[in-house]
Amino acid sequence: MSLADRADRHDLYQRSVQGVEFELEFVQETFKALRGRWPHRLREDFCGTALSACEWVKLNPAHSAVAVDIDAEVLAWGEDHNVAEMSVDEQQRIELLSADVLTVETNKVDICQALNFSYWLFQERAQMKAYFQRVYACLKKDGLFFLDSFGGFEAHQTQEEVRELEGFTYIWQQAEYNPVTADMQCYIHFEFEDGSRLEQAYAYRWRLWGAKEIRELLLECGFSKTRIYLQAFDPETDGPLDEFVESERCEDVACWIAYLVAEK
Ligand SMILES: C[S@@+](CC[C@H](N)C(=O)[O-])C[C@H]1O[C@@H](n2cnc3c(N)ncnc32)[C@H](O)[C@@H]1O
């Protein structure tokens, strides 16, 4: 049996793609800075294994979360691996919902987050607008919506990014890109020390949305203001830092990543 045969793709995804500790610190601190109070209730859209929602609940006994994903299989994995490890009290403060974010009804939340670009699967403007209107409705009066975005000239190219991690290699592939429609096909592959691969462990068909058009759409849906926080780079090594700075100005770099924050 090869290492790929024995691998668990959800576990590999959590270890290679997600950085929930930093993500939640950013979300929490930004909420406090903009709203003058600490947030308590969080909704994680496109939650996959609900890792972020689980970590949110573990951070503070006053926290609660609802996590939404359309795929019952990935939610079951999250229940068995992430929720199952939590205390009884923590489990009572989290709810995993197998539902479509376009129709789901949830109690009002302080924060709604849709991260790792998942919302780009909505390719048509009308569909994206319908989604943002649903998010607007689920937020408390001073609620915030957190999204992320990337761009730069490399985003408009077919290309691969390879990262060596503990025991495996993560490969992000932008396999197709149509500059007329902004339609892109991306894959995550995993490769192992014995040469075996989990080919197309995850596949994403996205529209490469521009930050400006997303921000305009958020305002159209009733959000009062949007902000963009760009990832900072180390001036000496040029490597990305765990630091996101609010700015309307970005250099013409190969690749930028940012958080978008929409205020109700
Ligand atoms: C890229 S994963 C995101 C995982 C996680 N949120 C993260 O930050 O890495 C995208 C997830 O969106 C889910 N999804 C796709 N369409 C959806 C929809 N209409 N409503 C809810 N979830 C959806 C998929 O099942 C998949 O688990």
Side-chain angles (χ1 to χ4, degrees), residues 54-65:
C54 289
E55 291 304 314
W56 175 258
V57 161
K58 288 199 262 179
L59 271 180
N60 188 313
H63 285 183
S64 65

Side-chain angles (χ1 to χ4, degrees), residues 13 17-18 23 44-49 68-71 74 99-102 115-116 118 121-122 204 206:
Y13 179 92
V17 176
Q18 297 194 275
E23 184 178 288
E44 182 186 10
D45 278 356
F46 311 100
C47 68
T49 61
V68 183
D69 201 287
I70 206 164
D71 179 359
V74 73
D100 188 334
V101 295
L102 290 173
L115 298 178
N116 281 318
S118 312
L121 66 89
F122 297 135
Y204 305 111
W206 285 342

